[in-house]
Amino acid sequence: MHYIYLAIVLAPLAGAVVAGLFGRWVSRSVAHSVAIGGVAVSFLLSLVALKHSLVDGAPAFNGTVYTWMVAGGVHFEIGFLIDRLSVLMMTVVSFVSLMVHIYTIGYMHDDPGYKRFFSYIALFTFSMLMLVMSNNFLQLFFGWEAVGLVSYLLIGFWYTRPTATFAALKAFLVNRVGDFGFMLGIAAILMYFHSLDYADVFAAADRMSGLQLEIFAGHGWSVLTLICILLFVGAMGKSAQVPLHVWLPDSMEGPTPISALIHAATMVTAGIFMVARMSPLYELSDTALSFVMVIGAITAFFMGLLGLVQNDIKRVIAYSTLSQLGYMTVALGASAYSVAIFHLMTHAFFKALLFLAAGSVIIAMHHEQDMRKMGGLKKYMPVTYWTSLIGSLALIGFPGFSGFFSKDSIIEAVAASHLPGAGFAYWSVLLGVFVTALYSFRLFFLVFHGEGRMDAHTRAHLRESPAVVTVPLVLLAIPSVVAGYLIGPLLYGEYFGDAIHITAAHPAMERLAEEFDGPWAMIVHGLTATPFLLAMAGLFTAWYVYMRRPALADLARRRAGWLYGLLVNKYGFDDFNQIVLAGGARGIGRLLWRVGDAVLIDGLVVNGSARVVGWMATVVRRVQTGYLYHYAFAMIVGLLLLMTWVVFLR
Amino acid sequence: MSSELSDVLVPLPEIVLAGLASLVLIVDVFQRSRQRPATYYLAQLSLLATMVTVWATAPDQPVVALHGTYIADTMAVVLKLFLLLMVLGVFVYGRRYLDQRGVAPGEFHVLGLFGALGMMILVSAHSFLTLYLGLELMALSIYAMVALHRDSRAASEAAMKYFVLGALASGMLLYGISILYGATGSLDIATVGARIGDQAQLGVPVAFALTFIVVGLAFKFGAVPFHMWVPDIYDGAPTAVTLYLGSAPKIAAFGMAIRLLADAMGSSLADWSGMLVILSVLSMGLGNLVAIAQTNIKRMLAYSTISHVGFIFLGILAGTAEGYGSAMFYALTYALMSLGSFGMIILLSRRGFEADRLDDFKGLNARHPWFAAMMLILMFSLAGVPPLVGFYAKLAVLQAVVHVGQVWLAAVAVLFSVIGAFYYLRVVKLMYFDAPEGEVGVAGQGLDVRVLLSLNALAVLGLGLFPGALLGWCMAAFG
């Protein structure tokens, strides 16, 4: 198995190397065949690993591949931890990645950067698998940064567009903030645990739970709380939680397959995965869990609202992603780690589906992304229409679809949590359901129903996308429906085993397990429960406002102008960052440059010292007169100097 | 080993060299040809024979002979081998150069051999008398060598200045030794050392003696403020003589410093170490500063020597075995680098052209990329750039200073070597980035000079890559 795990990671890397470094010498079809082949190998071997773990009942594999270095008694190693959690992530990541690879053939068909694109996404798959399969913090950090790098490269893929480079830069900078926290967290772990290995750290976590740290005199901080919050700051950056979410909507400047793969299905869930992986640490700190839950709740509700006022089809889905990531985070805060991973999985399928469907629409619309110029696409693009419908129903949690099982479980888990902030979180996720349904079907109706608002030329060329686009849609639609029925074994069976650790103080999962009696009973119950009613209300509102009475939307916009303004301005986060943080930093930078660098360092220190040295050299040089008696005199003076020193000063 | 036998065996290298040098003197007289090839080859042969003798008679343990006036130990053996090697190199470099300037080569070689004999006696001295004998034999030979080019005003002036100042310095050294003799009643270095250590009431006379001895030493090294002769003599003397002056005597001076300070006055470490701190800081500061203002490369290298002396002092003043070992490593490698840099000037010179201005190096890379690269190695090594040997020499010395707690001194030394890097890099800049001026070429010198220069620079690189063996040898001398 050891070699299989290694192959899972290295196959996409080989694809990336061939498509990237040797791209000049290989043809387009070779490049994409190699990249897709690599990812396909990863997917198939992940299935083997899944079977090995699930059917054969193999214990978790925890092994070192090689030791990178040993410094100060700490081993820095590359190693794999393959348990139920990572094997599930590996399968999801490689599956979605494979779908996106295939889809890319169609979507990027005419792009000059075709081979570069394949190289990047294969590299991304490699990095993400490294992250997921890691058995230590160092490798986790490597994967973490590597996916961040690829994300940056891909957001800025069309580097000639100023908006794309701006968005790439923004994503990179915001992630730096998060990564700084993450790095501090890892540093704190190294400092207190003297090891970066998961197994060592988790084994020692109990002993550390009472340890206090005084940052400010008199205020003791639990070391574990600090570590957990710092690590979560990293997750906030990568998984786009408020207030580090600002980069994700802008990342839609990248090509649509990227939005599906990286900025919806996989990379942004790295933070969720990380917290679930660290469950033995988070379980020991209620403060950290509360913090996680409140941040998640804010993201889930308020970011969903923003989706209501967007007109760009991809941006609506982006805000939806933010909101859904908030849901996952809330589940983590409620100690329902398995539910968070479950939602991560179902979301990966239906959100990738929605993005790829949006991409299909964008292809048909000749790269027009404004929903106000669409409408009535149902009759032109039947496959896209039906798969979008499945995706949207899964997203709003319609009973029977995958999103229903995971989202309802989250709401139930939050209701069962007793941590501070759980009440706020409960109402946030509950009302979030209404908002989700509203923006999802606003998009759906505006795009596929009603009158076509596109120009005649575009209308004349409307047709369904080619098979490389529609086949992945169909393949993703299947798990978007059926993945939910895994709920029984996944959440309430013994699936995760030791991979996720929950203490008795957080009984949310036990409460859920008591109430659960099969997926069908859950559907029946769900049809009468509040979330379903809220979702239906949202769906109906969307239909009424955007299909029946389009004037109503304008009216609402005029009446509640301040609210609309607040939403359009995204609560002012961007402006704040742009003016206060970016502007301030640049102001300080300019000040340091003008005064500190140009005047003090360049002027005074560098050129000044050179001038002083040069001046001294010319002065001292004159001492060398060439007269013998001056030389002899200097020797006498030197003798007296030494004598004075030895007689009087010692 | 019986005492009679050791009386012959221990000074055998010196006896061999003295005999052969006398032979060279006689052979020289009977030659017709102006170039005196027999003198040259015989002189080189004498050096090689002496080196073999040094190697063959090297003792495992320190041996004192000739009634306590003479010592052979590891340090003396290593220093002798290196200084003979340097003289050998000087003879190769200088042969054609002297001929082109109408200087009698026979006298140069004979004087060079006797100077080498003086240096050997100096580093093997176990009595103040022997030490002084060796010192004066070396100094008198060099005075004459500087004046070899009788028609040159500059050379005559330089020789005169060197002679007068050298006499003054010798007088001071002798005065210090006489005070010490009066205080301890002995001239034997070991006995003097023991008596100073035992008798604390000798404080003031010993302090006085020490001051005069340090002045004498500092003059030989060319440390500030006893450095005034260095630039004038380096510049005024023919380059072949400068080459001699700048390499081997530095090694001998190091041996003399160890004999006088560590062996004879080791118990006054606190006193002389403080003096050396002053001299060292002044040397590094003034040497590096003034070198920047020079336009003549011989003067520039003279000031560079002064600054390197400051570094050698750093190791000595640490007063530990590590310090002495690192200073020895520094002195040996500095002599090697100095030999190469002056050798480069000789290589570029030809009849009627000295190649001693910095501008003469302009655009060397365009004409002779190989030799420009060799010069680059030498300059980088002098500046202390890794992985060249100059870096490890500086590093070893600084480590020794830091280990005795003088961190500030190490910081000062690093600061000055940063300033010093400027003028070494300027040479590199001139060679690589400026357009050539006039006729610069290596045609004036023979193949032997070119090969030796390449070997010399490559040795600087090789010792930098593998400094362990030589450094270990130096450390073992004081282990």
Side-chain angles (χ1 to χ4, degrees), chain A residues 415-433:
Chain A
S417 175
H418 303 304
L419 291 178
F424 166 71
Y426 178 70
W427 285 105
S428 294
V429 291
L430 200 58
L431 291 176
V433 173

Short mmCIF file of all heavy atoms in Angstrom, two decimals, chain A residues 415-433:
data_model
loop_
_atom_site.label_atom_id
_atom_site.label_comp_id
_atom_site.label_asym_id
_atom_site.label_seq_id
_atom_site.Cartn_x
_atom_site.Cartn_y
_atom_site.Cartn_z
N ALA A 415 -28.39 23.07 16.99
CA ALA A 415 -29.45 23.14 18.00
C ALA A 415 -29.06 22.37 19.25
O ALA A 415 -29.46 22.73 20.36
CB ALA A 415 -30.75 22.58 17.41
N ALA A 416 -28.25 21.32 19.07
CA ALA A 416 -27.89 20.49 20.21
C ALA A 416 -26.67 21.01 20.96
O ALA A 416 -26.32 20.48 22.00
CB ALA A 416 -27.62 19.06 19.73
N SER A 417 -26.02 22.03 20.42
CA SER A 417 -24.79 22.52 21.06
C SER A 417 -25.12 23.46 22.21
O SER A 417 -26.09 24.21 22.15
CB SER A 417 -23.93 23.24 20.03
OG SER A 417 -22.82 23.81 20.66
N HIS A 418 -24.30 23.40 23.26
CA HIS A 418 -24.53 24.26 24.42
C HIS A 418 -23.48 25.34 24.55
O HIS A 418 -23.46 26.07 25.53
CB HIS A 418 -24.52 23.41 25.70
CG HIS A 418 -25.51 22.31 25.66
ND1 HIS A 418 -26.85 22.54 25.45
CD2 HIS A 418 -25.38 20.98 25.78
CE1 HIS A 418 -27.50 21.38 25.44
NE2 HIS A 418 -26.62 20.40 25.64
N LEU A 419 -22.60 25.45 23.60
CA LEU A 419 -21.52 26.42 23.73
C LEU A 419 -22.05 27.84 23.61
O LEU A 419 -23.10 28.06 22.97
CB LEU A 419 -20.48 26.18 22.63
CG LEU A 419 -19.67 24.90 22.74
CD1 LEU A 419 -18.72 24.80 21.56
CD2 LEU A 419 -18.87 24.91 24.03
N PRO A 420 -21.37 28.82 24.19
CA PRO A 420 -21.79 30.21 24.00
C PRO A 420 -21.78 30.55 22.51
O PRO A 420 -20.86 30.16 21.80
CB PRO A 420 -20.69 31.01 24.73
CG PRO A 420 -20.03 30.05 25.63
CD PRO A 420 -20.20 28.68 25.05
N GLY A 421 -22.81 31.23 22.05
CA GLY A 421 -22.88 31.58 20.63
C GLY A 421 -23.70 30.59 19.83
O GLY A 421 -24.01 30.84 18.66
N ALA A 422 -24.11 29.47 20.46
CA ALA A 422 -24.84 28.47 19.70
C ALA A 422 -26.22 28.99 19.28
O ALA A 422 -26.72 28.67 18.19
CB ALA A 422 -24.98 27.18 20.51
N GLY A 423 -26.83 29.80 20.15
CA GLY A 423 -28.15 30.34 19.82
C GLY A 423 -28.09 31.22 18.59
O GLY A 423 -28.89 31.06 17.65
N PHE A 424 -27.14 32.12 18.58
CA PHE A 424 -26.96 33.00 17.42
C PHE A 424 -26.69 32.17 16.17
O PHE A 424 -27.28 32.42 15.11
CB PHE A 424 -25.78 33.94 17.72
CG PHE A 424 -25.28 34.67 16.51
CD1 PHE A 424 -26.04 35.67 15.92
CD2 PHE A 424 -24.04 34.36 15.95
CE1 PHE A 424 -25.58 36.35 14.82
CE2 PHE A 424 -23.59 35.02 14.85
CZ PHE A 424 -24.36 36.02 14.27
N ALA A 425 -25.85 31.16 16.33
CA ALA A 425 -25.49 30.33 15.18
C ALA A 425 -26.73 29.61 14.67
O ALA A 425 -26.93 29.48 13.45
CB ALA A 425 -24.40 29.34 15.57
N TYR A 426 -27.57 29.14 15.58
CA TYR A 426 -28.76 28.39 15.16
C TYR A 426 -29.65 29.26 14.28
O TYR A 426 -30.07 28.86 13.20
CB TYR A 426 -29.52 27.90 16.39
CG TYR A 426 -30.78 27.16 16.03
CD1 TYR A 426 -30.72 25.90 15.44
CD2 TYR A 426 -32.03 27.72 16.27
CE1 TYR A 426 -31.86 25.22 15.09
CE2 TYR A 426 -33.19 27.05 15.92
CZ TYR A 426 -33.11 25.79 15.33
OH TYR A 426 -34.24 25.14 14.99
N TRP A 427 -29.94 30.47 14.73
CA TRP A 427 -30.82 31.34 13.94
C TRP A 427 -30.17 31.73 12.62
O TRP A 427 -30.84 31.86 11.61
CB TRP A 427 -31.21 32.58 14.75
CG TRP A 427 -32.22 32.21 15.79
CD1 TRP A 427 -32.01 32.09 17.12
CD2 TRP A 427 -33.59 31.86 15.55
NE1 TRP A 427 -33.16 31.69 17.76
CE2 TRP A 427 -34.15 31.54 16.79
CE3 TRP A 427 -34.40 31.77 14.40
CZ2 TRP A 427 -35.48 31.15 16.94
CZ3 TRP A 427 -35.72 31.38 14.55
CH2 TRP A 427 -36.25 31.07 15.80
N SER A 428 -28.85 31.90 12.66
CA SER A 428 -28.15 32.26 11.42
C SER A 428 -28.31 31.18 10.37
O SER A 428 -28.66 31.43 9.22
CB SER A 428 -26.67 32.49 11.68
OG SER A 428 -26.49 33.60 12.49
N VAL A 429 -28.06 29.92 10.79
CA VAL A 429 -28.10 28.86 9.78
C VAL A 429 -29.54 28.59 9.36
O VAL A 429 -29.81 28.23 8.20
CB VAL A 429 -27.41 27.56 10.26
CG1 VAL A 429 -25.92 27.77 10.38
CG2 VAL A 429 -27.98 27.08 11.57
N LEU A 430 -30.47 28.80 10.28
CA LEU A 430 -31.87 28.56 9.93
C LEU A 430 -32.36 29.58 8.91
O LEU A 430 -32.91 29.24 7.86
CB LEU A 430 -32.72 28.62 11.20
CG LEU A 430 -34.09 27.94 11.12
CD1 LEU A 430 -33.92 26.47 10.75
CD2 LEU A 430 -34.81 28.06 12.46
N LEU A 431 -32.14 30.87 9.22
CA LEU A 431 -32.57 31.91 8.28
C LEU A 431 -31.75 31.82 7.00
O LEU A 431 -32.23 32.19 5.92
CB LEU A 431 -32.39 33.29 8.92
CG LEU A 431 -33.37 33.55 10.07
CD1 LEU A 431 -33.07 34.89 10.72
CD2 LEU A 431 -34.80 33.50 9.57
N GLY A 432 -30.53 31.32 7.12
CA GLY A 432 -29.68 31.16 5.95
C GLY A 432 -30.35 30.26 4.91
O GLY A 432 -30.12 30.42 3.71
N VAL A 433 -31.14 29.33 5.36
CA VAL A 433 -31.80 28.42 4.42
C VAL A 433 -32.72 29.20 3.48
O VAL A 433 -32.74 28.97 2.26
CB VAL A 433 -32.60 27.36 5.21
CG1 VAL A 433 -33.44 26.50 4.26
CG2 VAL A 433 -31.66 26.48 6.01
#
